[in-house]
Amino acid sequence: MKLFKTSLIALALCSTVSQAASVAITNATIYTATAKGILSNATVVIENDKIIAINPEKITADSIIDAKGKILTPGLISAINQLGLVEVNAVKSTRDAGEKKADMTFDPSIAFNPMSTVIDYARKGGITRSLVVPSGGDSIFKGQTFEADLSGSFDSVANARNGLYVTLGAKSKGSRAFDLQKLIHTLEDAAEKLAKAKEKAADKKGDKDKKKVEKTPKRSEKVINELLAGNKLLIVDADRATDLLALIELKKRFDLDMVIVGAADAILVADKLVEAKVPVIIDAMRNLPGSFDSLHSSLTSAADLTKLGVKVGFIAGDTHNIYQLRFDAGNAVANGLSRQDALAAVTANIADIFHINAGSITEGKNADLVLWSADPFEMSSKVDKIWINGDELSTQSRHDALRERYTTNSDMPRAYTK
């Protein structure tokens, strides 16, 4: 057992195989995920943790890698998962994403485990960054979200508490109206309190005789105040058209930075979503209704919404299967979505929605890049090389170590016994 543990630890410690100050990737077919589209026989130069040049007149770098015409894309970004918070769903002691008493102040980022075996596996699918959400507790306010890279380093959390995750919709007990009303009242009360505080401050302005005594806002008040100030993203999981319309009105009323997750009925209110500039995060493979809230989901939803002008991002369902995010995007292509829009749905659009400095091959962006053996949307393709924050990382996972352990002849026993 000690030898096996040692080999896995060594694998983790050696995951960073190159840390050159600057790297030039030449002769690549670059899918930029920008308006520039696809660049042939192109060069990207990265230095430290950023992309510093695309097709420079003179290539100057510490290391030069010939892509030999292969496809280079931005690293894929997985959103709305519990990556690094859950190791084995069936083992309660490995789940840190939820807590019965959790509310909007719940910050799961402090429990993020960068050495989770799920992270190495996700990286094999070209995933370089993740927007992690809590599962929360009894409240509709499940807690705060955070951005993390998949480098496996202890400073992986790049942006903690960047959003508030809320769930609405059908309930087995009670009414959806109560939950929606709670969200509305919470925003109304906070906005009213801020307005009164502003009035008092204006009345006291210039009056030096009165002592200014201000109460420190509660933690929950700070969270809502950040939402109202536009400094925190409101991420709402909802499906039914009536709920989506109510959320759109809230967005307009309080000028919120909002994204809707799930959005099965989005096609019914697409014009309203476009008008209010509300993006949606959907499961491209969702085509069967799981409830009466999701009767309008379809394999063509991504293509249909994109054609109507809605900004669309993809989620890959279960945390342990975010590896398949690129395959979901490929299925969306098979159902009418363009290849460029499919790539954007797992890179640039997600980055824009969650304010992540990645997701496209652009100067100044984080150097999160993936060099593919072939078409990234094809099942047979694999990751040849992957960079996160400019560092080239291994594509090996615990799964690979186990396979090698039990398929390679050695002096070690075929299995461990007590």
Side-chain angles (χ1 to χ4, degrees):
M1 181 66 77
K2 287 184 178 179
L3 288 173
F4 182 58
K5 286 184 175 179
T6 301
S7 66
L8 290 180
I9 292 172
L11 179 64
L13 292 176
C14 294
S15 63
T16 300
V17 298
S18 173
Q19 292 185 334
S22 62
V23 177
I25 305 167
T26 64
N27 299 319
T29 302
I30 300 177
Y31 284 61
T32 63
T34 70
K36 293 182 179 179
I38 302 172
L39 306 178
S40 300
N41 299 317
T43 297
V44 174
V45 181
I46 59 180
E47 185 172 358
N48 296 323
D49 61 346
K50 296 289 189 296
I51 296 171
I52 64 167
I54 299 172
N55 282 336
E57 292 184 5
K58 183 179 180 181
I59 300 174
T60 303
D62 297 320
S63 175
I64 297 178
I65 297 173
D66 186 353
K68 299 179 179 178
K70 292 180 180 178
I71 295 173
L72 183 74
T73 70
L76 310 189
I77 305 174
S78 177
I80 320 301
N81 56 68
Q82 282 84 49
L83 188 67
L85 298 179
V86 178
E87 194 66 29
V88 181
N89 277 327
V91 181
K92 292 182 179 180
S93 60
T94 70
R95 302 197 306 246
D96 294 312
E99 167 63 44
K100 184 176 177 64
K101 296 180 181 179
D103 59 15
M104 68 178 67
T105 65
F106 177 45
D107 176 15
S109 68
I110 57 179
F112 179 74
N113 178 20
M115 299 184 72
S116 167
T117 58
V118 185
I119 289 177
D120 287 342
Y121 180 62
R123 203 161 59 214
K124 290 177 71 66
I127 312 292
T128 57
R129 208 162 288 266
S130 181
L131 192 286
V132 185
V133 301
S135 57
D138 293 337
S139 172
I140 63 168
F141 300 107
K142 300 305 178 184
Q144 300 187 65
T145 64
F146 63 94
E147 170 199 343
D149 65 51
L150 273 61
S151 65
S153 63
F154 288 112
D155 59 353
S156 296
V157 176
N159 191 2
R161 302 177 298 281
N162 61 348
L164 175 62
Y165 188 49
V166 176
T167 58
L168 299 174
K171 301 177 67 175
S172 58
K173 292 183 179 180
S175 169
R176 77 178 65 232
F178 183 84
D179 288 346
L180 186 54
Q181 181 177 270
K182 184 175 182 178
L183 175 60
I184 295 170
H185 287 177
T186 299
L187 291 168
E188 285 179 341
D189 293 346
E192 184 178 351
K193 191 170 184 177
L194 286 172
K196 287 182 178 179
K198 189 174 182 180
E199 288 178 6
K200 287 182 179 179
D203 292 340
K204 292 180 180 180
K205 189 175 182 181
D207 190 344
K208 298 180 180 180
D209 296 328
K210 292 183 179 180
K211 291 183 179 180
K212 188 176 181 180
V213 179
E214 294 183 354
K215 292 183 179 179
T216 302
K218 297 179 181 178
R219 288 187 175 87
S220 58
E221 292 177 329
K222 290 180 180 178
V223 173
I224 296 300
N225 290 348
E226 285 184 299
L227 283 178
L228 293 172
N231 297 326
K232 192 183 292 289
L233 182 65
L234 180 59
I235 306 164
V236 188
D237 193 308
D239 280 322
R240 201 168 80 175
T242 55
D243 292 337
L244 305 190
L245 290 172
L247 290 171
I248 290 170
E249 289 306 309
L250 275 184
K251 198 271 186 189
K252 292 179 180 178
R253 180 179 174 188
F254 296 104
D255 194 24
L256 300 169
D257 188 4
M258 177 190 290
V259 57
I260 299 176
V261 178
D265 273 0
I267 194 67
L268 302 181
V269 295
D271 57 334
K272 303 293 184 183
L273 291 167
V274 173
E275 179 189 357
K277 296 181 179 180
V278 177
V280 297
I281 309 293
I282 66 173
D283 182 348
M285 298 301 293
R286 189 181 185 190
N287 70 326
L288 295 175
S291 70
F292 285 104
D293 280 14
S294 55
L295 298 178
H296 298 89
S297 58
S298 167
L299 290 176
T300 65
S301 290
D304 296 338
L305 290 169
T306 299
K307 288 174 184 176
L308 291 171
V310 180
K311 179 172 284 188
V312 174
F314 291 156
I315 53 176
D318 183 76
T319 298
H320 291 75
N321 285 320
I322 62 175
Y323 168 90
Q324 71 181 30
L325 184 60
R326 65 188 181 105
F327 302 141
D328 292 356
N331 274 281
V333 172
N335 285 279
L337 190 65
S338 74
R339 301 182 72 80
Q340 294 301 303
D341 286 332
L343 179 64
V346 292
T347 56
N349 287 359
I350 297 292
D352 288 345
I353 291 167
F354 296 106
H355 312 297
I356 296 172
N357 188 39
S360 64
I361 299 181
T362 310
E363 292 179 10
K365 293 292 186 181
N366 289 337
D368 294 356
L369 302 168
V370 183
L371 185 64
W372 302 89
S373 65
D375 184 345
F377 295 152
E378 288 293 334
M379 293 285 289
S380 59
S381 302
K382 64 182 182 64
V383 174
D384 267 2
K385 291 182 180 293
I386 187 168
W387 293 264
I388 298 178
N389 293 322
D391 292 333
E392 185 183 341
L393 301 179
S394 169
T395 59
Q396 296 296 298
S397 70
R398 182 172 183 271
H399 304 70
D400 298 309
L402 288 170
R403 180 193 63 209
E404 293 301 318
R405 162 69 183 87
Y406 291 108
T407 60
T408 303
N409 291 326
S410 72
D411 295 331
M412 296 178 70
R414 296 301 297 173
Y416 295 109
T417 58
K418 293 183 179 180

